[in-house]
Amino acid sequence: MSTSAVLQRRLWRDRAFRGALAVAAVSSAAALLAVVAFLLAGALPLLDWRGPGLKQLGTRSLDARPRHLSVGRPTASTPLLDLLLARPGVPQCAEVGGRMGCYRSTVARPDLAANGTGAQIEFTLQRCAGCTIAAQDRAVAEVRPGQVAVLLSDKRSLLLADSAASLSLLRPHRDQLGQLQLQVEPSWTLPGAALIALHRIGDADRLLAIDADGALSLIDASQRRWHDLAELQVDTRNDALFAAEEQIFHWRQGELRHYRLSRLDTPPLLDLWQPLQVAGQSKPAALWQPHSDDGAGTPRLNLWPLLLGSLKAALLGLLFGAPLAVAAAMHSVQYRSGLWRDGIKSSFELMEAVPTVILGLIAGLWVAPWLDQHLGAALGAVLGWLLLMVLPGGDRHSELSDRNRAAHSLVRCALGLMLGGWLGSTLESQLPGGRLTAWMHSTWGWSYEPYNAVVVGLLVGLAIAPMIYSLSEEALRRAPAGLQEAALALGASRRDTLFGLLLPTALPGIIAACLLGFGRALGETLIVLLASNNAPIADLNPLSGLRSITTTLVLEAPTAVPGSVHYRVLLLATLLLMATTIGLNLLANRWRARMARRPPRLRLHVGRKQ
Amino acid sequence: MIGRSLERLAGGALALLLGAFALITAAVVYQGIAALVPPPLLQLQLHGGEQVNGLLLRETETELELLLEVRAAKPSWRRLQRSQIVHRSAPESACLLHASDGRIRLHVDCTTAAAAADPETWTRSYPNAGGTLALQRWWQAARDFLLAPVRPDGQGGIGSALVSTLVLVLLMTVLVVPLGIGVALYLAEYAQDTRLTRALRLTVANLAAVPPVVFGLFGLGLLVHVFGSQLDQWLFAERLPSPTFATGGLLWASLVLALLTLPVVVVACEQGLQRVPMRLREASLALGATRSETVLRVLLPAARPALLTAFILAVARASAEVAPLLLVGAVRYAARLPVSSEAPFVHLERPFMHLGYRVLDLATSSAGGHFALQQAFACALVLLLLVLALNGAAIAARFRLRARYRDLGTP
């Protein structure tokens, strides 16, 4: 083989190698883009702020007014009534748990009914076919005239809409004596004119409503929400309308239009943030109930509880972890011997490697129950530690030799913790009840949930501390050695150099470390899973439980049906989480770059009188 | 004054953090070892003449909890107040009879004829005996903990979980290490400072910022639900509707872990490559080697310790991570291991058991009670030792690396 051929082959190999490396680099970058694209694609229908709407599929000319489109057929004289009340006396029956539950409207007083002022609605429960109905299986409620009603998907509740466009729920239930009662639950009002027809669509409690002005809207009965369907306006006197499942046919002046309800399942983006009025609750609440169990159909997916949960855990984690870690880094740059430095650094690296499931195990099995019983001792230990650290003595701390400094810190720390803990537990046992948590509850009304955000924060703080430590220590060490030596040569003490030189130089790096730690805390899963009660509560109270986005993913994603609203909302929450952590990462990078770029403004007062 | 206090506080913070770490490690080690020591068999004389024999499960200041018997997978417990007890002894001759189906019987005196149960079905152990028998007992317990087959309720030996974890991590390594080294080589050696390469660098760096569980969701949503079901339709149509790849399994889990550890590998390799002195590259190029030859024959051998560190760090990170696995195929009980002596040897589609998942499962399952918690700690101990040993190895390798570069003459 000629030399040039060999050379050719070598060059070709070189190019191929380079190409392969470039492919590797691009594909690994593509992995992140793939994750983002997957989340975006999944959550995209939710990002549509419009909510449900109507889509016109086609038109056909049809001269004669179709007769079978008579369900919603309005005439000039009678309002467009629902099937039930339009034909009084015809029972509307549905099987309820093996029994037949029937609604029918009865005329309470024929003289009043003739004037169109009053009627009654009766619910009966038939235990078997052809049985006589016992008195206790019969319930009656007054209804006003002009109301429209529709049977909901639980096959026993009626939604009533009256002339003031206010909606109320009629629900049969048994009182203590076993007598069936019909209870009218508090109403809520729609904007716009009186409703003249209601029609249920599909299995969930979604209702198509037409008001007196001919405007269509879609009502979600279980969530008490509605969306206007502005695409279609009906002339209630002359048009005909027919709805079946998601299809809507509308006849007007010789033309039949075919519509389909689109985006029926997807709530508009805003609905994921708005509190929800639920039957039986006095106030609207931010609820996360992906499988609503009261039979009312659609899941309640409010993102606030999850976001606040994640935020609560991460903020408390940062609050506990960051000061300790930064302080520890500040302390450890004082160590001069390589052995101590490397030893401390390596211990923190090992600490970072501890699987979070183990931290969670300890939090759930020990820390949470122990804190519940001995909160006083814990608070005492913290105060004792603080006090003993601040107490004067050992002024030449930073000038001490490495070993003495370490021993000094360790002894003070242990003494403070033990004395404070002992004092705290002694004081706690003097309290009525013997437990600080019980006493707090009885005195101030603070309820202490054993698996609360503080426990989560403590352990999350411990999990992120090593990372913050490593990054801040690196930043502190990166301060130019020349400046440091110059300061020392000018007579500055080690403490002056630390606070006047090292800290200002490293500040951007430390801030970056905290940001990265915060991002890490947001993504923490197992500690939150094991140390909290996983209750989706939308508050920022550190003594109550929480449920973060990450734990929700772990708990719910395996069973969520792909493509369902629940699944999409999970993806959206993940997208938010990921956007936050990546944003924090980018921000941290900028801070670190700033540290390299811009020299700090130093104010070093050497030889200051103490 | 404030400066001084702050200074001391900083020392306290360091002590506190390291102390907490030491405490956690010590607690896990203690509990994990204690879980392997079988409890003593007590003979208790109560007020009123009643006599109770049982294995001591838990002892608090006021009460004792005893296991009396396990009959057909149904343990019977008894809780006694300390004040009820007149006399307490732990006779050396007491023995425990285990049946292979999990039944347990206790005898205070095993020398009597009553205890001479059928030796074929019952194995005998002496929980109170001292000396070599005690050592033997501990050895037996440790062996059981490692080797006993796992039971469908998630308890039993951890051997199969350990093997599955190792297989998973090895598979992940096979995927991530070549890719990671390639990316690091490209970024360190080839990429010029253009806008495109800066974007590339930024994207790879941001992979590290993605929470692990997000990768799990990605694995579940895209790999399992989309790719998996597509694969099933192409290759395993005859098994449908029962899923083959359209459910969590070894392959998807290792892919997810590979994504997760990619930044670790890239960063560690890149740092190692940057430390290789420039003159090695220059010398190699000057001698007429192509760039690829320089990289393959000079740079990579010189940076070998860094590559080793990257490998160890990736393994350590992957074996400590549990959250994404919850979404892509870690199960409480898998009847079959993901490796076998049958044809494909590594069964990529099988769900697998995992040490970390087992800790989580045992800690949260309400069924096992005290036993489950003890087991959880024993598992946690194994996991902790594994992870700490790996990280320790990485740290040691880094010190070696530093010494080596010092010899090569880089700062």
Side-chain angles (χ1 to χ4, degrees):
Chain A
M1 203 182 290
S2 68
T3 329
S4 71
V6 172
L7 202 62
Q8 278 296 321
R9 225 169 64 196
R10 280 174 65 203
L11 284 176
W12 184 83
R13 224 182 271 155
D14 189 45
R15 274 201 294 274
F17 185 69
R18 189 201 159 113
L21 292 186
V23 166
V26 169
S27 65
S28 66
L32 181 72
L33 299 184
V35 174
V36 175
F38 159 71
L39 293 177
L40 258 181
L44 208 56
L46 290 177
L47 299 180
D48 187 345
W49 49 269
R50 289 171 298 176
L54 273 178
K55 196 171 163 191
Q56 187 167 356
L57 294 182
T59 50
R60 227 182 88 188
S61 61
L62 188 68
D63 287 337
R65 183 192 177 105
R67 294 202 61 184
H68 61 277
L69 298 184
S70 61
V71 171
R73 174 178 175 170
T75 63
S77 56
T78 60
L80 192 71
L81 284 182
D82 186 73
L83 198 62
L84 178 67
L85 292 184
R87 284 184 251 164
V90 179
Q92 278 281 297
C93 294
E95 197 136 317
V96 186
R99 301 174 198 165
M100 224 38 159
C102 297
Y103 274 105
R104 71 195 185 100
S105 71
T106 57
V107 177
R109 287 171 56 190
D111 53 326
L112 289 181
N115 297 332
T117 51
Q120 283 180 330
I121 193 154
E122 182 192 56
F123 179 79
T124 53
L125 203 60
Q126 203 168 343
R127 292 174 183 277
C128 53
C131 292
T132 49
I133 296 161
Q136 62 172 7
D137 289 339
R138 186 189 300 273
V140 176
E142 294 285 332
V143 294
R144 274 164 291 165
Q147 278 186 320
V148 263
V150 68
L151 196 65
L152 293 185
S153 63
D154 64 349
K155 294 187 175 164
R156 52 169 59 208
S157 309
L158 272 188
L159 190 75
L160 296 171
D162 66 13
S163 50
S166 80
L167 296 163
S168 49
L169 206 60
L170 202 68
R171 203 179 277 234
H173 73 111
R174 285 189 192 279
D175 62 10
Q176 289 120 337
L177 302 171
Q179 171 66 44
L180 213 56
Q181 299 278 354
L182 271 181
Q183 186 187 27
V184 183
E185 289 192 1
S187 58
W188 79 103
T189 310
L190 297 182
L195 296 187
I196 55 173
L198 280 172
H199 183 82
R200 210 176 100 214
I201 296 164
D203 288 335
D205 285 335
R206 292 198 193 81
L207 312 165
L208 185 69
I210 307 170
D211 70 11
D213 296 340
L216 262 65
S217 56
L218 195 69
I219 297 176
D220 190 333
S222 67
Q223 304 212 346
R224 300 199 168 187
R225 286 178 170 147
W226 63 90
H227 308 288
D228 290 332
L229 299 173
E231 293 89 340
L232 182 57
Q233 186 76 24
V234 186
D235 179 357
T236 52
R237 289 170 186 279
N238 305 316
D239 295 0
L241 196 73
F242 180 70
E245 295 299 309
E246 295 174 10
Q247 316 290 328
I248 292 176
F249 297 92
H250 173 227
W251 182 87
R252 168 185 286 175
Q253 293 168 356
E255 204 175 43
L256 185 70
R257 295 199 182 88
H258 180 195
Y259 292 90
R260 207 186 64 208
L261 282 165
S262 58
R263 308 186 295 272
L264 194 59
D265 279 329
T266 53
L269 197 56
L270 278 181
D271 278 3
L272 297 174
W273 307 96
Q274 275 162 1
L276 203 62
Q277 178 68 54
V278 179
Q281 300 274 325
S282 57
K283 269 193 309 192
L287 293 174
W288 177 266
Q289 289 168 347
H291 312 287
S292 60
D293 46 1
D294 58 354
T298 47
R300 291 160 184 158
L301 303 167
N302 190 310
L303 281 175
W304 279 120
L306 304 189
L307 287 190
L308 290 184
S310 274
L311 204 65
K312 205 154 81 165
L315 274 181
L316 281 169
L318 194 69
L319 196 69
F320 289 125
L324 283 181
V326 172
M330 273 165 53
H331 182 71
S332 66
V333 286
Q334 309 250 344
Y335 286 88
R336 290 181 282 284
S337 115
L339 204 64
W340 278 93
R341 279 185 188 183
D342 289 340
I344 294 174
K345 206 171 167 208
S346 306
S347 326
F348 271 97
E349 264 164 26
L350 284 181
M351 191 170 160
E352 192 174 356
V354 173
T356 50
V357 65
I358 290 179
L359 293 181
L361 181 74
I362 283 174
L365 290 187
W366 284 340
V367 180
W370 189 84
L371 270 186
D372 186 33
Q373 298 295 323
H374 306 277
L375 188 65
L379 282 182
V382 171
L383 288 181
W385 177 81
L386 269 177
L387 201 68
L388 225 69
M389 286 300 158
V390 181
L391 270 187
D395 284 347
R396 300 178 56 76
H397 195 256
S398 49
E399 314 288 340
L400 291 172
S401 76
D402 287 347
R403 199 192 321 157
N404 287 351
R405 191 184 310 112
H408 185 247
S409 300
L410 206 64
V411 167
R412 273 202 184 219
C413 179
L415 260 182
L417 284 178
M418 279 198 285
L419 282 179
W422 173 74
L423 207 66
S425 72
T426 316
L427 284 178
E428 189 176 19
S429 61
Q430 301 300 314
L431 287 175
R435 269 168 54 200
L436 185 60
T437 46
W439 182 79
M440 275 185 347
H441 186 63
S442 59
T443 315
W444 296 323
W446 294 3
S447 57
Y448 181 89
E449 162 72 37
Y451 291 86
N452 59 28
V454 173
V455 180
V456 175
L458 275 177
L459 271 288
V460 168
L462 213 53
I464 62 171
M467 179 188 178
I468 299 180
Y469 169 87
S470 303
L471 292 170
S472 342
E473 202 240 26
E474 197 190 312
L476 284 167
R477 287 220 185 282
R478 221 188 272 163
L483 275 183
Q484 220 171 320
E485 280 158 16
L488 288 174
L490 284 172
S493 67
R494 294 236 163 224
R495 186 189 309 139
D496 290 334
T497 352
L498 175 64
F499 288 111
L501 177 68
L502 293 186
L503 215 52
T505 323
L507 199 60
I510 291 175
I511 291 175
C514 291
L515 290 178
L516 288 176
F518 186 61
R520 178 87 182 271
L522 276 176
E524 190 49 66
T525 311
L526 284 163
I527 294 177
V528 189
L529 183 68
L530 283 165
S532 76
N533 57 359
N534 289 317
I537 312 166
D539 66 6
L540 280 173
N541 177 5
L543 293 186
S544 68
L546 62 93
R547 183 191 194 111
S548 72
I549 295 175
T550 50
T551 50
T552 311
L553 284 185
V554 164
L555 292 173
E556 291 171 10
T559 51
V561 183
S564 65
V565 181
H566 178 206
Y567 185 76
R568 290 188 194 287
V569 172
L570 284 181
L571 292 190
L572 182 68
T574 315
L575 194 65
L576 288 178
L577 177 73
M578 197 168 138
T580 317
T581 53
I582 287 187
L584 284 169
N585 195 35
L586 292 175
L587 208 62
N589 279 345
R590 284 189 71 154
W591 275 99
R592 286 168 83 175
R594 168 182 295 202
M595 180 170 85
R597 213 172 45 237
R598 194 186 296 171
R601 290 170 58 192
L602 300 175
R603 279 176 301 156
L604 183 61
H605 302 287
V606 172
R608 182 176 43 183
K609 284 260 163 49
Q610 299 269 332
Chain B
M1 179 65 202
I2 292 173
R4 263 180 255 161
S5 303
L6 272 178
E7 201 173 35
R8 280 194 298 271
L9 267 178
L14 181 64
L16 202 64
L17 279 180
L18 287 179
F21 173 50
L23 201 69
I24 286 172
T25 315
V28 172
V29 169
Y30 173 75
Q31 284 283 328
I33 291 177
L36 294 184
V37 177
L41 203 166
L42 293 185
Q43 183 178 22
L44 301 172
Q45 199 82 40
L46 303 187
H47 283 293
E50 196 190 346
Q51 186 175 322
V52 178
N53 308 321
L55 279 180
L56 180 67
L57 292 184
R58 208 163 58 89
E59 189 166 12
T60 63
E61 287 163 16
T62 53
E63 56 180 27
L64 305 176
E65 204 176 297
L66 297 174
L67 174 72
L68 304 181
E69 192 179 17
V70 181
R71 201 184 294 161
K74 258 182 131 176
S76 50
W77 318 85
R78 175 134 184 212
R79 198 171 282 181
L80 291 172
Q81 298 295 321
R82 255 175 205 278
S83 54
Q84 290 176 277
I85 299 166
V86 183
H87 180 70
R88 163 182 181 164
S89 63
E92 289 243 329
S93 60
C95 76
L96 198 66
L97 296 175
H98 284 274
S100 49
D101 55 0
R103 281 180 296 161
I104 295 177
R105 273 199 226 154
L106 313 177
H107 285 287
V108 179
D109 193 358
C110 262
T111 51
T112 59
D118 184 7
E120 306 263 306
T121 49
W122 297 91
T123 52
R124 196 178 284 200
S125 63
Y126 297 87
N128 298 342
T132 49
L133 267 181
L135 263 183
Q136 225 174 39
R137 203 171 64 224
W138 193 86
W139 171 240
Q140 176 74 34
R143 223 176 54 186
D144 273 356
F145 173 67
L146 274 180
L147 299 180
V150 66
R151 295 208 305 267
D153 63 355
Q155 296 185 44
I158 64 154
S160 37
L162 193 59
V163 171
S164 304
T165 310
L166 292 181
V167 170
L168 173 70
V169 167
L170 273 183
L171 200 61
M172 177 279 302
T173 319
V174 170
L175 293 171
V176 78
V177 166
L179 183 67
I181 292 178
V183 176
L185 275 177
Y186 185 78
L187 291 181
E189 300 298 321
Y190 284 91
Q192 270 125 28
D193 194 25
T194 64
R195 191 167 291 181
L196 194 70
T197 54
R198 250 181 312 195
L200 202 66
R201 206 179 279 273
L202 198 66
T203 320
V204 173
N206 272 325
L207 263 183
V210 179
V213 68
V214 174
F215 286 122
L217 185 69
F218 173 71
L220 178 76
L222 192 71
L223 301 182
V224 173
H225 285 329
V226 178
F227 292 173
S229 42
Q230 199 56 248
L231 263 182
D232 272 8
Q233 275 175 13
W234 285 338
L235 303 176
F236 303 96
E238 77 281 1
R239 290 194 210 164
L240 286 173
S242 74
T244 310
F245 275 104
T247 176
L250 195 62
L251 176 67
W252 305 133
S254 55
L255 270 172
V256 163
L257 283 186
L259 269 183
L260 194 74
T261 47
L262 184 64
V264 179
V265 177
V266 172
V267 168
C269 288
E270 214 185 333
Q271 279 177 356
L273 287 170
Q274 275 164 0
R275 289 212 177 172
V276 176
M278 207 55 189
R279 45 195 181 76
L280 283 186
R281 295 183 184 86
E282 285 159 359
S284 165
L285 291 174
L287 286 172
T290 60
R291 274 182 96 175
S292 65
E293 284 160 357
T294 309
V295 165
L296 286 174
R297 309 238 172 106
V298 179
L299 278 185
L300 284 186
R304 208 184 296 142
L307 306 187
L308 183 71
T309 315
F311 166 76
I312 297 173
L313 280 179
V315 169
R317 176 81 199 277
S319 42
E321 202 57 67
V322 184
L325 300 181
L326 297 176
L327 297 174
V328 286
V331 289
R332 167 184 291 177
Y333 173 71
R336 295 168 305 172
L337 280 179
V339 280
S340 72
S341 53
E342 292 159 30
F345 303 114
V346 179
H347 302 274
L348 294 176
E349 80 285 357
R350 288 191 186 165
F352 54 92
M353 290 183 285
H354 186 267
L355 263 186
Y357 179 70
R358 213 174 140 82
V359 175
L360 178 71
D361 185 48
L362 287 170
T364 50
S365 74
S366 52
H370 188 66
F371 272 145
L373 290 188
Q374 279 196 327
Q375 284 251 320
F377 273 108
C379 280
L381 176 61
V382 175
L383 185 65
L384 187 68
L385 288 183
L386 184 73
V387 171
L388 288 189
L390 283 168
N391 275 282
I395 291 170
R398 204 185 48 223
F399 283 123
R400 289 270 302 276
L401 179 68
R402 210 186 283 167
R404 183 192 175 103
Y405 287 142
R406 209 173 293 136
D407 295 343
L408 282 172
T410 29

